[in-house]
Amino acid sequence: MVIINKTVNKPKLYIVPTPIGNLGDITYRAVEVLKTVDIIFSEDTRNTLKLLNHLGIKKKLLSYYKDNELKATKQIFKHINDGEIVALTSDAGTPCISDPGQIIIKKLIENNIPFEVLPGPTAFIPAVIKSGFPTDKIYFSGFLPQKNSDRKEYLNYLQNNISATIVFYESPHRIISTLKELLDIFSPPISVSRELTKIHETTYFIFSEEDIEEIKPRGEFVIVINNKITTNDSLYNIQELLIKLQKENFNNQEIIKIFKVLGIRRNVIYRLLLKND
Ligand code: SAM
């Protein structure tokens, strides 16, 4: 058994989450760590400098971003070998969560070097809680594939295989088209949190294409979907409801609309309709 990072081993590197909007969201411990480390590697040194100025901290800053991760990892090792303590921050939120950081963590584990991960701000947790969807199983999916065919295939895979609350990050340029695509595949409502912790923080619940038009495609967005598969028990109730609706002469199109409003997943509806034909 390999055990690293026992708390008696003094960490050589700290992962330090930073606010996703509201500067008050930095933790006391994050401030203490930033004050005491020898050097800070950050995704965007200008951004981190603003935060450090706000906190009244002066530190040497170096870059650690997606395209220099390997080079920066070597630099971090050099500083650690020289006996220095390093902090790593990303642009906003927690490093390694849809942000750079994985390479240095992997190398630290391989080399048995102790590090510590501070808990702190990350955008997807408040978004999931604001959705009101189940929190017992959460599938964090980050950014979607950009290529149309890959994205479609991936979304269909999620819809059919991942019984959980699913979370995506999305950019303002793609938010409208992505929501239209999601509405075609998943059952509404879709929860969209915009500008979390900032002045214009808003959470929308999307039921239809008209609702999507209400969203201002500016700022930062987290999309949350309830894709928990209906249990056998409730499936039984749905089947009973279907039989009742058919007895009342509702046609399939009307039944599909009713079930969609009830939040029943499209593939469940079709399966039941086929079975009852
Ligand atoms: N490391 C970050 C974290 O821990 O959440 C995520 C960084 S990722 C490059 C940036 C994406 O996170 C944005 O495009 C958006 O989807 C989401 N995000 C970050 N801050 C946000 C905020 N204040 N409100 C809504 N979404 C946010």
Side-chain angles (χ1 to χ4, degrees), residues 20 92 94 97-99 122-123 143 169-170 195-196 220-222:
I20 57 166
T94 302
I97 302 299
S98 292
D99 264 343
T122 189
F143 288 100
Y169 282 168
E170 191 49 287
E195 295 287 81
L196 287 158
E220 301 192 277
F221 294 90
V222 184

Side-chain angles (χ1 to χ4, degrees), residues 14-29:
Y14 290 88
I15 293 289
V16 183
T18 54
I20 57 166
N22 187 326
L23 289 180
D25 289 336
I26 191 142
T27 68
Y28 285 123
R29 191 147 80 102

Side-chain angles (χ1 to χ4, degrees), residues 228-260:
K228 267 200 101 177
I229 286 166
T230 327
T231 63
N232 284 339
D233 189 31
S234 45
L235 250 186
Y236 178 74
N237 292 334
I238 295 166
Q239 200 155 11
E240 271 197 320
L241 174 62
L242 173 64
I243 292 166
K244 278 186 191 157
L245 290 171
Q246 283 173 331
K247 271 191 187 153
E248 294 292 327
N249 291 326
F250 282 90
N251 65 36
N252 281 358
Q253 289 314 314
E254 290 165 332
I255 292 174
I256 288 169
K257 271 192 194 157
I258 294 170
F259 278 16
K260 265 187 95 175

Side-chain angles (χ1 to χ4, degrees), residues 15-35 37 40-59 61 87-95 118 120-121 197:
I15 293 289
V16 183
T18 54
I20 57 166
N22 187 326
L23 289 180
D25 289 336
I26 191 142
T27 68
Y28 285 123
R29 191 147 80 102
V31 176
E32 278 315 300
V33 166
L34 292 175
K35 271 184 191 162
V37 292
I40 302 170
F41 278 74
S42 75
E43 188 185 7
D44 184 336
T45 50
R46 286 163 307 177
N47 240 4
T48 307
L49 184 62
K50 271 190 216 151
L51 177 69
L52 293 182
N53 287 342
H54 170 78
L55 298 169
I57 299 172
K58 258 187 164 11
K59 281 288 147 166
L61 279 170
L88 178 69
T89 66
S90 61
D91 215 6
T94 302
L118 271 55
T197 79

Side-chain angles (χ1 to χ4, degrees), residues 159-252:
Q159 201 257 336
N160 288 310
N161 296 285
I162 304 299
S163 175
T165 290
I166 303 178
V167 195
F168 303 106
Y169 282 168
E170 191 49 287
S171 75
H173 325 289
R174 278 192 300 268
I175 187 71
I176 302 293
S177 57
T178 297
L179 285 173
K180 286 183 181 164
E181 209 172 343
L182 293 173
L183 203 54
D184 243 13
I185 295 176
F186 296 94
S187 294
I190 294 172
S191 166
V192 183
S193 282
R194 172 174 174 260
E195 295 287 81
L196 287 158
T197 79
K198 303 182 197 175
I199 298 170
H200 296 293
E201 169 168 345
T202 318
T203 294
Y204 306 85
F205 288 93
I206 305 295
F207 290 86
S208 64
E209 287 231 0
E210 293 87 80
D211 293 342
I212 297 174
E213 305 303 332
E214 308 250 320
I215 294 181
K216 286 192 201 91
R218 285 194 296 277
E220 301 192 277
F221 294 90
V222 184
I223 302 171
V224 188
I225 282 168
N226 180 1
N227 199 47
K228 267 200 101 177
I229 286 166
T230 327
T231 63
N232 284 339
D233 189 31
S234 45
L235 250 186
Y236 178 74
N237 292 334
I238 295 166
Q239 200 155 11
E240 271 197 320
L241 174 62
L242 173 64
I243 292 166
K244 278 186 191 157
L245 290 171
Q246 283 173 331
K247 271 191 187 153
E248 294 292 327
N249 291 326
F250 282 90
N251 65 36
N252 281 358

Side-chain angles (χ1 to χ4, degrees), residues 117-137:
V117 182
L118 271 55
T122 189
F124 79 91
I125 296 288
V128 167
I129 296 171
K130 290 194 88 177
S131 76
F133 298 155
T135 50
D136 56 336
K137 285 188 182 58

